[in-house]
Amino acid sequence: MDPTFRAPRGVGGTYVPPPDKSITHRALMLAAVSSSPSRIRRPLSTGDCNSTRRCLESLGVRFTDTADGVEVQGVGLRGFAEPLRPLDAENSGTTMRLLSGLLAGQGILVVLSGDDSLVRRPMGRVVEPLREMGAHIEGRESGRFAPLCFIPGAGDLRPISWDLPVASAQVKSSLLLAALRATGASRIGGKIGSRDHTERMLRALGVRLDRQDSSLRVDPVKSLPGFDGDVPGDVSSAAFLVAAALVNGRKLTIHGCGVNPTRCGFLEVARRMGASLDIAEESSSLGEPAGSIMVHPAALRGATVAAVEVPELIDEIPLLAVLGLFAHGRTEVRGASELRVKESDRLTMIARMVECLGGKLEIFEDGFAVDGPQELRPGVVDPQGDHRIAMAAAVAGAGVPGGVKVAGFDCSRVSYPDFIRDFIALGGEVA
Ligand code: S3P
């Protein structure tokens, strides 16, 4: 599917984003290892989160779809069954890294692999600390890459004291999940300032998890209780429509959206770029705040994003490049070298996207700078299977007269299966 995205009438209106991908992964995994049944309302039920569900099913966890979500029969923290076949995390880094934390030291043989993108992404960052805890894990190139193989017979996991060298919520979460089964309290320090969904959910389930001297201290537990929870809308998915409204739009009101501050960095930068944004917190479930976001477009100006801000907007950086093309002045992002090891080398892909539209962008090892506004021409962008590049290119189409064609747009289903429907409902055109 190679649709062309345009928005001659602008983008705006009222909308509810799809369920949060990060929160769904965690809710499915924690429900799977709890000791009584759980109900998860409005989980994301496609793409990456389905990879998590299928892996858990292969480990003996039973899921039953209901009218408003899914019921999960948890098997307990040590209750996984040895799977008959290798598990496939497909395109999902969150599935592979978080599940590794649950599989470490389980005493069963599990092989975990993924698609062509995932088997090239760094896994040593979870394998190394999990081995330090006593888990027996092998993997390609000495465990630096998948396939990973979890080997039985390692005995109980030891507590860990570990400083994270990269700000990765996936690595932090993997260690927190493994620490639940350790023989004593663990400490996770270093770069812990990434999205905090795992911390919030574990605390909501009664786990003792404190922040002490810029580190997390987590106690092991005998079991986790089942739970009832609602998954809020995904602010990272909503960000695509926010950006479309900002490059060419009208007022946009978003309801039922997650507003966890560790995920709202993009909205903060959009404010600095001149957007007027109101965020109202209205409810909370699974320890996560949810509410409404009102976006009032205004003339955009360039902004500088510092390295410390990057973890809170890591998935929205392609959108900052798009906004930079339409903003007055320079937009610069530094300290984002993690983008090189996402579903694609996203910095290279951002540069290619801009080039395909006749724009100019200076690329650095750890970021980019773009001077705007630029005169763009209609073009064809090939995101090479990266969902966020595909949707960022579609958003650029909202501001380019004549539109932008995106080759292989199907890859967007990994996080946002109904993007085209929502883009059209808010005034965009897709041909
Ligand atoms: C995620 C964490 C981020 C993010 C990814 C989802 C998560 O990755 O890019 O889309 O759910 O924990 P890193 O933790 O590797 O930065």
Side-chain angles (χ1 to χ4, degrees), residues 5 15-19 42 241 409 416-428 430:
F5 295 84
Y15 122 104
V16 178
R42 222 178 151 254
L241 280 311
F409 190 76
Y416 199 161
D418 293 322
F419 178 86
I420 290 183
R421 182 201 66 192
D422 291 347
F423 186 77
I424 293 172
L426 294 173
V430 181

Side-chain angles (χ1 to χ4, degrees), residues 49 171 212 231 278 334:
C49 294
V171 179
Q212 289 174 359
V231 178
D278 299 311
R334 297 307 286 253

Side-chain angles (χ1 to χ4, degrees), residues 342-361:
K342 290 290 174 192
E343 286 86 328
S344 68
D345 172 350
R346 272 198 187 139
L347 287 175
T348 298
M349 292 305 294
I350 287 170
R352 273 197 208 147
M353 168 179 77
V354 172
E355 210 173 285
C356 291
L357 304 179
K360 281 201 185 65
L361 173 141

